[in-house]
Amino acid sequence: MTAQLITPNSTSNVYKFTVQQYELMHEVGVFAEGDRLELINGEIRVMSPIGRKHGACVAKTTRAFQIKLGNRTIIWAQNPIRLSDHSEPQPDLAILKLRDDFYAEALPTPDDILLLIEVADSTIAYDRDVKSPLYAANGVPEMWLFDVNKKLVEGYSQPSASGYKRMQRYEKGDTLSPLAFPEMIFNWSELF
């Protein structure tokens, strides 16, 4: 018995993949080790390389969350999440509900996600126009989008099928609190 790996889309010249097909391609070595890829709406996308400012922002934000949250959550840095049968993106940070197996048995799904964070230096439009609506349509309750060049954060909440209904911009001097932990306040200097 053989499995069909590629499913052509009858309306375009683009091949669409399922998460199962995408993971199988990883397992059999279709991609080189270290390739930065993610599956978005059935399409395999090459992710941008991580720049210095991007890496520093992810590290600083990860540390701030670790200090404030301690052992209350799992901080999932630059690892895949499973949104649907056709999307397995890799957000920069995911704040997840605790699970004994640390998600070794199955990737986090929207039910496990408390907050997603995307950090952008060259991908701001992609993160805002492609990934944010994808997260909202799949029920991720909150997303923060860091623009490391302008040093601002866009906070998205109230997910719907057509995108997040609420967006708030945070700039220097503002404070931020995740919806899942409203008592936890981040000062600007903790994040940038």
Side-chain angles (χ1 to χ4, degrees):
M1 182 168 145
T2 60
Q4 183 178 358
L5 183 60
I6 298 176
T7 307
N9 183 330
S10 61
T11 61
S12 73
N13 60 355
V14 176
Y15 284 97
K16 298 281 188 172
F17 300 96
T18 66
V19 167
Q20 183 181 11
Q21 291 167 327
Y22 176 66
E23 289 176 352
L24 181 60
M25 286 187 269
H26 275 288
E27 288 174 22
V28 299
V30 170
F31 309 117
E33 183 143 346
D35 280 354
R36 290 185 34 81
L37 304 169
E38 59 186 355
L39 185 67
I40 304 292
N41 293 320
E43 296 177 8
I44 299 170
R45 304 277 184 109
V46 176
M47 298 171 65
S48 294
I50 297 174
R52 180 182 42 81
K53 290 189 288 186
H54 181 280
C57 183
V58 170
K60 193 170 186 179
T61 303
T62 300
R63 185 169 188 267
F65 271 93
Q66 287 170 335
I67 290 168
K68 289 189 184 279
L69 287 171
N71 294 325
R72 300 189 319 185
T73 65
I74 294 174
I75 299 171
W76 191 256
Q78 297 178 330
N79 287 315
I81 59 173
R82 185 173 184 174
L83 294 180
S84 69
D85 288 338
H86 293 91
S87 291
E88 192 174 288
Q90 289 189 36
D92 289 302
L93 281 176
I95 309 304
L96 306 175
K97 294 176 184 174
L98 281 176
R99 208 166 83 184
D100 290 340
D101 71 345
F102 282 77
Y103 297 94
E105 296 300 316
L107 288 176
T109 66
D111 288 340
D112 303 307
I113 299 167
L114 302 170
L115 169 67
L116 288 183
I117 297 174
E118 290 288 357
V119 176
D121 50 7
S122 63
T123 61
I124 193 81
Y126 176 72
D127 290 337
R128 184 185 295 125
D129 300 338
V130 176
K131 291 181 91 174
S132 173
L134 178 67
Y135 296 152
N138 284 281
V140 173
E142 184 175 19
M143 176 197 158
W144 291 357
L145 176 56
F146 285 63
D147 183 335
V148 297
N149 295 315
K150 293 182 180 176
K151 293 200 177 215
L152 61 86
V153 177
E154 295 174 2
Y156 296 89
S157 59
Q158 299 177 1
S160 74
S162 60
Y164 287 103
K165 294 179 183 178
R166 184 169 188 263
M167 190 279 277
Q168 184 164 350
R169 185 169 301 201
Y170 300 94
E171 299 176 350
K172 188 174 184 176
D174 292 338
T175 58
L176 296 86
S177 294
L179 293 175
F181 301 98
E183 75 286 357
M184 185 173 60
I185 299 170
F186 286 97
N187 292 312
W188 191 253
S189 60
E190 294 176 280
L191 305 173
F192 281 108

